[in-house]
Amino acid sequence: MSGPRWLTGFLDSPSRVAEPFWSAVTGSGLSARRGPGGEFATLLPGGGDAYLRVQVVGDGPARCHLDLHVEDVAAQARRVVGLGASVVLSDGELVVLRSPAGLLFCLVPWRGEAVRPAGGRGLVDQMCLDVPRAVFDGEADFWAAVTGWERRPGSLPEFDFLVRPDGMPLRLLLQRVGGDGAGMHLDLACDDRAAEVARHVELGAAVAWTGPRWTTLRDPAGRPYCVTDRPVTGP
């Protein structure tokens, strides 16, 4: 059975305060709102298929999760549970699960998405899974099995990554972190990090940390994310 045909990164927030920021950063429009309380919307790129969405969750802190678009939600849910996930919610159309390390993700129907949007000066192109060192190897193996993507060591010892198929909009990076809690954050590739960071700050972000290869910022909702030196046209 094949893995996901498409990935969507979700920005989960207590309010809509960061939505104009992410629309501006990505150069995307915002779709009509969906859900009983209008909690969902899609960031619509200028070309290609959408792969970023926003959700008002009503509690904090602001965070991220992944949707995996699959051909058969029920069958994939059974497979993923067999790999170590636990079901949080199933409503027939989608299944919400928790990974062995505690990361929330969803299985949703694939609707034919296939065209990765092109980047401009910057491109949201990676979801980083921040995993405590004590459970890192098991969690990395879990995601490799769920996706069917090869696990490889990163350029720094704290990172591994999964080799995404051509055309997939989001790469998956796994980072060894301290503490007991796992989380996710988005990363952007860019051609000029200093200029891209300055653009984000002008739009409302705040710099949290700057290193030799990436800068960590917080969006207007306080959600951490990174602008990296990885090229926009990279794999």
Side-chain angles (χ1 to χ4, degrees):
M1 182 181 296
S2 63
R5 301 297 298 271
W6 193 252
L7 296 184
T8 289
F10 254 94
L11 296 154
D12 304 321
S13 308
S15 73
R16 301 180 186 178
V17 66
E19 293 180 6
F21 170 82
W22 285 102
S23 180
V25 161
T26 60
S28 302
L30 198 64
S31 74
R33 305 199 76 89
R34 305 180 300 278
E39 60 267 36
F40 299 102
T42 301
L43 292 171
L44 301 172
D49 291 316
Y51 68 102
L52 296 172
R53 296 180 183 175
V54 294
Q55 178 180 199
V56 177
V57 293
D59 63 354
R63 52 196 183 270
C64 295
H65 81 263
L66 277 171
D67 274 11
L68 280 60
H69 300 236
V70 298
E71 295 184 27
D72 186 328
V73 170
Q76 287 286 355
R78 291 191 294 271
R79 184 179 75 90
V80 170
V81 167
L83 293 170
S86 56
V87 174
V88 175
L89 173 69
S90 177
D91 73 355
E93 174 84 354
L94 64 84
V95 179
V96 182
L97 301 108
R98 195 179 296 276
S99 76
L103 293 172
L104 284 173
F105 66 101
C106 299
L107 297 176
V108 301
W110 178 54
R111 306 295 190 193
E113 298 93 342
V115 181
R116 177 186 176 188
R121 291 178 297 176
L123 176 69
V124 177
D125 77 331
Q126 182 167 265
M127 184 72 84
C128 183
L129 313 185
D130 303 310
V131 181
R133 291 182 180 87
V135 295
F136 183 88
D137 283 326
E139 185 75 0
D141 287 342
F142 168 81
W143 285 100
V146 167
T147 59
W149 303 357
E150 180 186 358
R151 175 185 171 189
R152 291 184 185 174
S155 58
L156 294 172
E158 62 262 39
F159 296 110
D160 283 8
F161 70 95
L162 303 183
V163 181
R164 63 177 170 181
D166 291 343
M168 189 66 68
L170 288 172
R171 184 176 184 256
L172 295 184
L173 181 70
L174 296 107
Q175 179 176 205
R176 296 168 174 86
V177 298
D180 299 324
M184 298 188 189
H185 72 265
L186 287 172
D187 290 342
L188 288 85
C190 69
D191 297 327
D192 183 334
R193 176 159 50 114
E196 186 67 5
V197 168
R199 184 172 76 93
H200 287 224
V201 170
E202 184 176 353
L203 291 169
V207 173
W209 180 84
T210 298
R213 300 191 188 185
W214 67 87
T215 298
T216 302
L217 301 99
R218 291 188 180 274
D219 73 7
R223 176 184 11 252
Y225 69 98
C226 296
V227 173
T228 78
D229 289 332
R230 197 174 52 262
V232 172
T233 56

